[in-house]
Amino acid sequence: MPLCLARFNPVNRAHFHYPHDKKALLSPPTQLPIIVLVSWTSMPTMPNFTQLLTTLCIAANLSSASHATQATVHFNSQEKLSSPSKHRLLGSNLGLWFTDAEIEKLNASQFLKQWAPATIRFPGGSWSDEIYWNGNGVRSGDQFDTSKRNGDFWQVDYSDWKPGFRINHDRSLHEFHGHTTLPKLHQFAVDNKLEAIVTVNAGTGTPKMAAEWVRWANKKMGYKVKYWEVGNELEGEWEAGHIRPDGSKMDAKKYTAIYLEFAKAMKAVDPNIKVGGPTNSNDSIVFTEELIKQAGEHIDFVSYHTYSVDAKITDTEAIFKGTERVKPTVELIRSWLKKHQPNRADSIEIGITEWHLQVHENQNTCNLLSGLWSARFIGEMFRANVDFANQWDLFSTAHSGGHGLFQKGGPLVPRASYWAMWLWGSQLGDTLITSSVTGSKHLKSYATLHNDKPAILLINQSPTESITTTVKPHAPQWKSGERVEFSHRNYLWNPYEKKPEWTQKPLSSGFDTARPITLPPFSATVLRFGEKSIPKPSPQQTPTPDIFLPKSHPSDLPLTTKVFLRDGASPYLGKPTTLKVRLHGPATLSATSLPMQMPVSDLTITPTGAGPVTLTLTCADQSTQHTFTLKKVALTPKVIWSFGNDADVKVATGNLPTRRNGEARRNEDVLEVTMQNLRPTKGNDLAVEINPLKLPFPKKKIGGICAKIKASPNLLQAPKGAAIQVVIQSEGNHWMVLKEIPIHSLTTNWSDIHITTEKQQELEAMALSYALVFKIKSPKPITGKLFIDDLGFIIRN
């Protein structure tokens, strides 16, 4: 039974000892009652003594609100839900920009064998619509015959093969054509018995180009490629070929017509191949119904991509909820197939040929969250009965993270998403069976069957709470087996070094359903019934405390980081212990004593000023000391667009009438935006749109927006609710509203607008800005003029 001690000393200070601090008192780690023992060194004379005792009693009653949630899991091996080939759901993407060394390391690794994917897609996302797969007659080594360009197309001699080349959106030669070659990608698939999915260039290529690839690969080289995908995400403005040679934009009808030309040309060469599309970029699948309706007899599979979580979403529960978008999308596609192609609906496959948590590559695509999310996403694909899928991708890496399953360069080091693939590939079965969870909203289950033995995946989505689980199989013979756990005990991402601090094979132990099974916070655990587990003694380890810290950090922003316990280069896996933290410097801590049930815990450092900060971490008899600097931040307005010339006006034009006005401000030009009985809707509501942003300073310094604005008298009569939204568009948040300025708050005189933020996520997103927008909102039509001058950014130095 837990014990709470309160000691009162002569200076009327109450000291709590349970077992670490006051925070622990209010959140005890068990569901047992608390015994409160009160002792004192002298009789207290505190006026609020009774109130203090009342508080202690309330704390004791709060003991039922434990960090160890109780849950029950049921599963029934007799109730089968779906039986896709699991290995066909575990494919990935291979790009021409990967190096031969990276491909060879994977080719020879046990990582690939244990993961066991069935498919591989290439030549690589958007590159697919920029690549001429054959450069014969155009390219010789690094030399190019530019005379072979004929308008929008390059003339290739298909009598032989030479390394291909990449072009820009305007069909000119790109400066980078990749590190490897197509034969090496094809050979990788052959060597590992992988089904290749080839995406042909339907953006800047031709049906003949695609047909010749089929001829070369299948008739000449014997690669036996069965799956051919027509184009990549061609509904997107980022994609080469979205803008057609006549200047129009790709739409569903245009894509369908192109698809039919490609499919017919390719199948004329090899009628045994499977052709599919439209490879839309997200769950809106905008071209899909038109393609099914008009080209159904020429479709063998429908493919799309999904990066279902917006990078601006930070709530963990909302992030995991993004996995639930699979089933509705797949069901919609199946409904269209039954409606428009009833005779072939059951034979047309559905593939998700790119997927990941989010488009923007940051630590959430590399850390433990990405692995748990990927494990659940694969489970949702099982539930939706997806035919095949390809994660994006093998090695991609960005400054703050990456989509890749492995670290780029150096030894082959798996990231978190790889271990999700590993769990499904080596620990779970092919047939999904029924399972259910009661008692916890954070626990998700996916039960499978293989060789008549059940295996169940339990994902604890809570970052902080353990879940004590009672497992109740439908059949009584399933009582024990092997437990395999993926958690911070075997994986930790270092956000400053941009690599895993440790990444190890998930931990194996035994379990017995006669006893409750505790699932640690943020973990994916597989229970393999009927499998033998070899008992392993608890490791004899010495916990050495450590922490992730930057060299410096802004003094106006809190820093949330992770403290952890290691044993050498490995995670500490010994008995639960306590980590003490002391701080010297201008900052405060969210906690000074951390109960370490897991080897990793969060810690928030809140600056109170600028200067060096020293942290001393102590665990058992081991101490470490770490220092970083809190840097004072200066905010400086910097005007970029003063509208003193037509170039400034042109770059800042939205979709409302604008002009350079020299009368609104004596001897100085400003931007004038006119609204005439305007009812703002999408397509006519942008007063300013600057895209792309070309700035004379690093975008990582952006801390806000500065401008001068005023309104004409009639604009000030705008209805209630009319406003100007100031928006940054970023790869980290595609629509980040920094401020909404009510029009009635403006005047006919100039107002200085300084918009800043203290939200770290918004500042990180600003570093990836690509557009600045002033958007008009109004519930009713408005008339008048808005004047803008001295537009720029607040710079953080």
Side-chain angles (χ1 to χ4, degrees):
M1 184 171 290
L3 180 67
C4 175
L5 301 179
R7 175 174 60 84
F8 302 99
N9 67 18
V11 291
N12 296 336
R13 291 179 181 174
H15 295 268
F16 297 88
H17 304 276
Y18 170 81
H20 308 295
D21 59 12
K22 288 180 283 187
K23 184 177 180 181
L25 172 66
L26 296 175
S27 304
T30 77
Q31 291 188 328
L32 298 174
I34 293 177
I35 293 177
V36 181
L37 300 182
V38 181
S39 65
W40 52 87
T41 55
S42 67
M43 180 63 70
T45 57
M46 297 168 61
N48 61 346
F49 180 66
T50 303
Q51 182 180 358
L52 179 59
L53 287 179
T54 302
T55 302
L56 290 172
C57 293
I58 292 172
N61 290 331
L62 284 175
S63 65
S64 60
S66 163
H67 279 308
T69 303
Q70 297 282 348
T72 302
V73 177
H74 295 266
F75 70 89
N76 190 339
S77 57
Q78 302 302 312
E79 295 181 359
K80 300 177 181 178
L81 299 177
S82 62
S83 298
S85 170
K86 70 172 181 181
H87 297 289
R88 297 190 79 217
L89 297 180
L90 303 179
S92 190
N93 277 264
L94 186 60
L96 282 166
W97 57 90
F98 300 145
T99 66
D100 291 343
E102 289 164 342
I103 295 170
E104 282 307 309
K105 276 183 286 191
L106 182 59
N107 200 32
S109 78
Q110 289 299 313
F111 292 123
L112 182 62
K113 293 180 175 63
Q114 293 171 7
W115 155 30
T119 66
I120 193 75
R121 176 178 178 255
F122 54 81
S126 294
W127 275 47
S128 304
D129 287 320
E130 302 168 5
I131 284 292
Y132 272 63
W133 70 271
N134 190 345
N136 190 42
V138 176
R139 179 180 180 181
S140 178
D142 292 329
Q143 301 300 311
F144 297 86
D145 184 352
T146 55
S147 70
K148 295 299 176 70
R149 180 179 177 181
N150 183 8
D152 290 312
F153 302 100
W154 292 75
Q155 305 304 309
V156 174
D157 177 6
Y158 293 107
S159 64
D160 197 3
W161 180 86
K162 291 290 189 299
F165 56 95
R166 183 179 172 209
I167 62 173
N168 296 304
H169 286 216
D170 64 0
R171 277 66 168 180
S172 62
L173 283 171
H174 201 281
E175 69 274 8
F176 177 55
H177 306 279
H179 292 301
T180 191
T181 63
L182 275 175
K184 291 183 179 178
L185 302 188
H186 277 287
Q187 196 59 48
F188 177 84
V190 171
D191 291 344
N192 292 286
K193 298 181 173 57
L194 302 176
E195 188 86 74
I197 301 172
V198 172
T199 310
V200 297
N201 184 347
T204 59
T206 65
K208 177 178 174 57
M209 183 191 303
E212 291 297 336
W213 193 344
V214 174
R215 190 187 315 279
W216 173 79
N218 288 359
K219 301 297 183 179
K220 181 176 181 180
M221 304 300 293
Y223 292 135
K224 299 179 182 178
V225 179
K226 189 174 183 180
Y227 286 82
W228 298 81
E229 195 176 37
V230 179
N232 181 83
E233 300 183 356
L234 281 164
E235 85 279 13
E237 295 186 1
W238 58 85
E239 201 73 19
H242 173 75
I243 303 298
R244 307 310 299 159
D246 63 2
S248 65
K249 293 184 178 181
M250 183 73 80
D251 59 24
K253 291 186 181 298
K254 288 186 179 76
Y255 175 82
T256 298
I258 290 169
Y259 176 91
L260 283 168
E261 290 182 45
F262 273 71
K264 291 174 182 178
M266 294 159 73
K267 286 200 172 185
V269 174
D270 186 349
N272 296 316
I273 65 173
K274 290 190 174 186
V275 181
T279 332
N280 284 150
S281 65
N282 57 58
D283 305 291
S284 62
I285 49 175
V286 292
F287 293 174
T288 302
E289 185 176 19
E290 180 72 14
L291 180 66
I292 292 171
K293 183 177 180 180
Q294 302 298 337
E297 64 180 289
H298 298 281
I299 298 173
D300 298 299
F301 63 90
V302 174
S303 62
Y304 77 98
H305 299 165
T306 179
Y307 299 83
S308 57
V309 180
D310 193 310
K312 66 185 176 185
I313 296 175
T314 58
D315 178 70
T316 303
E317 185 177 349
I319 290 172
F320 277 110
K321 196 168 181 61
T323 62
E324 297 174 9
R325 293 169 61 171
V326 175
K327 193 171 183 180
T329 305
V330 171
E331 288 178 344
L332 181 59
I333 294 172
R334 294 200 193 283
S335 72
W336 287 337
L337 290 171
K338 290 176 182 177
K339 177 181 178 180
H340 300 301
Q341 303 296 330
N343 296 329
R344 299 191 63 240
D346 293 338
S347 64
I348 298 175
E349 296 178 277
I350 297 177
I352 304 177
T353 52
E354 286 185 25
W355 65 266
H356 211 292
L357 187 153
Q358 61 192 34
V359 173
H360 173 52
E361 296 177 89
N362 60 16
Q363 63 174 315
N364 275 358
T365 59
C366 299
N367 60 16
L368 183 60
L369 170 63
S370 71
L372 302 180
W373 191 95
S374 297
R376 185 175 172 192
F377 184 85
I378 297 167
E380 291 300 317
M381 290 195 291
F382 255 81
R383 283 183 174 162
N385 220 356
V386 173
D387 292 291
F388 60 90
N390 298 80
Q391 176 269 358
W392 185 268
D393 59 4
L394 285 173
F395 295 106
S396 283
T397 296
H399 171 69
S400 57
H403 286 129
L405 293 175
F406 301 94
Q407 286 291 103
K408 190 172 179 64
L412 200 60
V413 176
R415 291 176 176 166
S417 292
Y418 168 81
W419 293 116
M421 299 288 214
W422 182 91
L423 283 175
W424 278 97
S426 65
Q427 305 297 306
L428 291 156
D430 270 321
T431 301
L432 193 70
I433 58 177
T434 59
S435 66
S436 62
V437 175
T438 58
S440 174
K441 68 177 182 178
H442 296 303
L443 182 60
K444 302 300 176 184
S445 67
Y446 301 91
T448 66
L449 202 62
H450 181 66
N451 293 334
D452 295 326
K453 289 183 179 181
I456 185 167
L457 171 64
L458 300 173
I459 304 174
N460 180 356
Q461 298 177 168
S462 170
T464 57
E465 292 185 5
S466 297
I467 300 177
T468 300
T469 309
T470 301
V471 180
K472 294 187 175 181
H474 180 265
Q477 71 268 29
W478 304 120
K479 297 179 179 180
S480 62
E482 182 187 21
R483 167 186 175 146
V484 179
E485 178 193 302
F486 171 60
S487 68
H488 270 136
R489 290 188 176 114
N490 71 290
Y491 187 85
L492 177 62
W493 177 257
N494 186 327
Y496 301 111
E497 296 292 332
K498 312 296 191 303
K499 65 180 183 180
E501 189 69 21
W502 55 66
T503 174
Q504 300 176 356
K505 186 177 179 179
L507 301 171
S508 175
S509 61
F511 74 92
D512 188 327
T513 57
R515 293 186 294 271
I517 298 167
T518 299
L519 307 173
F522 239 35
S523 63
T525 302
V526 176
L527 304 179
R528 304 178 70 207
F529 289 85
E531 300 292 343
K532 291 184 178 180
S533 173
I534 301 174
K536 295 180 180 178
S538 298
Q540 297 298 314
Q541 293 186 321
T542 301
T544 300
D546 208 339
I547 187 171
F548 292 138
L549 288 174
K551 292 180 180 178
S552 63
H553 184 77
S555 64
D556 60 343
L557 298 174
L559 172 64
T560 297
T561 186
K562 292 190 182 297
V563 293
F564 51 98
L565 301 177
R566 62 165 74 249
D567 182 77
S570 299
Y572 169 73
L573 300 177
K575 294 179 180 180
T577 184
T578 301
L579 190 153
K580 302 284 187 179
V581 188
R582 288 189 294 111
L583 180 146
H584 179 75
T588 61
L589 295 171
S590 59
T592 58
S593 182
L594 297 166
M596 303 294 287
Q597 298 292 325
M598 295 288 285
V600 178
S601 184
D602 287 337
L603 181 71
T604 298
I605 303 167
T606 302
T608 57
V613 173
T614 300
L615 294 164
T616 303
L617 310 179
T618 304
C619 186
D621 58 352
Q622 298 289 313
S623 289
T624 57
Q625 201 168 76
H626 309 266
T627 300
F628 74 109
T629 302
L630 291 169
K631 295 182 67 175
K632 187 175 181 179
V633 177
L635 301 178
T636 307
K638 183 170 181 61
V639 174
I640 309 296
W641 302 279
S642 59
F643 306 108
N645 55 61
D646 290 332
D648 277 4
V649 174
K650 185 177 180 180
V651 78
T653 298
N655 46 39
L656 292 173
T658 57
R659 71 183 182 107
R660 182 159 58 99
N661 184 334
E663 300 174 1
R665 191 171 181 178
R666 185 180 296 244
N667 299 322
E668 187 173 339
D669 292 320
V670 302
L671 180 69
E672 175 189 283
V673 183
T674 301
M675 288 156 272
Q676 184 64 43
N677 200 33
L678 173 71
R679 176 65 171 90
T681 58
K682 186 176 181 180
N684 75 339
D685 58 356
L686 302 185
V688 170
E689 182 180 25
I690 305 177
N691 185 359
L693 286 177
K694 297 181 179 179
L695 305 179
F697 53 84
K699 292 179 182 177
K700 66 182 180 181
K701 290 189 173 185
I702 298 177
I705 305 295
C706 63
K708 296 179 184 293
I709 59 175
K710 72 176 185 175
S712 63
N714 55 342
L715 184 60
L716 296 178
Q717 304 305 311
K720 185 178 180 180
I724 302 165
Q725 275 190 346
V726 183
V727 178
I728 284 283
Q729 289 188 278
S730 159
E731 293 297 337
N733 186 340
H734 291 289
W735 194 259
M736 184 165 58
V737 180
L738 297 182
K739 189 170 185 179
E740 191 164 283
I741 305 170
I743 288 179
H744 68 73
S745 69
L746 302 177
T747 69
T748 56
N749 297 317
W750 289 103
S751 298
D752 286 317
I753 303 299
H754 282 199
I755 305 169
T756 58
T757 180
E758 294 183 357
K759 297 179 180 179
Q760 185 149 6
Q761 186 187 12
E762 290 185 350
L763 291 172
E764 290 173 356
M766 285 184 189
L768 302 167
S769 302
Y770 60 80
L772 170 62
V773 173
F774 280 45
K775 178 183 176 180
I776 306 297
K777 288 180 60 184
S778 179
K780 296 179 181 179
I782 56 175
T783 295
K785 293 181 179 180
L786 176 70
F787 302 97
I788 303 173
D789 196 16
D790 293 346
L791 178 59
F793 291 94
I794 307 292
I795 307 302
R796 292 172 59 87
N797 285 312

